Amino acid sequence: MSEAVKQLTEEEKKNREGKRTKITTKEIVSVGMFAAVLAVLSQISIPMPSGVPITMQTFAVALTGVVLAWKLGTASMIVYILLGAVGVPVFAGFSGGAQVLVNYTGGFIWGFIVMTLLCGVGVQMKNKAGGLFVGLAGLAVCHLFGTMQFMLVMKMGIVESFLLASAPYLVKDIISVVLGFVIGGQLRQRLLKAGLL
């Protein structure tokens, strides 16, 4: 192979790699749209005595990770959290502001980043059961973050914090992740076929 052809091949590789790192309009729209989905589903909430409401957030988080996969899904979650941090009322109960991220429910919001990422990794695995397990591991990390921050803010023990902030929501959240994988997986396939992802 001549030196000129080698250089041309190297240039093509660089151009392809450059194209891969650029964010497309389609990706920006997808990230923004799912940040909006997260905001809307977060408002469907039922107050609980512990102060941690039952919401559709867990389903929305799993759905976002599954439909957009890990990169765009995590970006969408970060956009959602940033909107809430600057005061846009996107968190549960139409709340917003940085104080929500440091109060007794804030740990769950931080945990959503890991959960979205792991649901996004899980959907791309060939083994569907293994992928769901990875998504559920993300849920476990989310509950760990939530319990730990609840414990620190409320100045309670770990067991008491788990029983108040995590245990009452586990079954609902596991079902939410499973539904996120089932519904999100179908939606993802349709969007990919339509060339929208």
Side-chain angles (χ1 to χ4, degrees):
M1 190 184 286
S2 71
E3 196 62 37
V5 174
K6 277 184 183 176
Q7 281 183 335
L8 186 63
T9 308
E10 288 301 315
E11 282 299 316
E12 282 177 9
K13 281 182 184 176
K14 283 178 185 175
N15 287 338
R16 283 180 193 159
E17 285 168 10
K19 283 177 186 173
R20 281 190 208 128
T21 57
K22 287 181 183 173
I23 299 172
T24 66
T25 304
K26 194 167 28 177
E27 289 171 336
I28 292 168
V29 169
S30 297
V31 166
M33 185 172 71
F34 273 86
V37 168
L38 286 160
V40 170
L41 291 180
S42 295
Q43 305 320 317
I44 302 170
S45 64
I46 302 166
M48 293 288 282
S50 67
V52 180
I54 291 176
T55 72
M56 291 290 288
Q57 277 180 313
T58 311
F59 171 71
V61 171
L63 187 74
T64 299
V66 170
V67 174
L68 297 183
W70 75 271
K71 283 183 185 175
L72 295 181
T74 305
S76 188
M77 178 55 65
I78 291 169
V79 167
Y80 166 76
I81 292 173
L82 288 173
L83 286 171
V86 298
V88 180
V90 294
F91 299 139
F94 292 99
S95 60
Q99 74 280 358
V100 178
L101 299 173
V102 294
N103 77 6
Y104 55 89
T105 60
F108 289 98
I109 298 171
W110 293 116
F112 288 157
I113 297 172
V114 179
M115 185 178 158
T116 307
L117 190 149
L118 290 180
C119 284
V121 168
V123 76
Q124 295 181 302
M125 291 173 64
K126 288 182 181 177
N127 183 330
K128 299 297 179 193
L132 178 59
F133 179 79
V134 170
L136 290 170
L139 174 66
V141 172
C142 181
H143 272 258
L144 176 64
F145 280 26
T147 300
M148 295 304 288
Q149 189 158 321
F150 186 91
M151 178 185 76
L152 292 170
V153 173
M154 302 301 284
K155 295 178 173 55
M156 291 181 175
I158 184 73
V159 175
E160 191 179 2
S161 297
F162 171 75
L163 292 174
L164 280 171
S166 178
Y169 311 92
L170 275 175
V171 173
K172 185 273 297 179
D173 285 352
I174 289 168
I175 292 168
S176 294
V177 171
V178 172
L179 286 175
F181 267 80
V182 172
I183 296 168
Q186 292 174 357
L187 184 56
R188 177 175 171 78
Q189 289 305 315
R190 289 178 186 176
L191 290 172
L192 285 169
K193 279 182 185 176
L196 297 172
L197 273 181

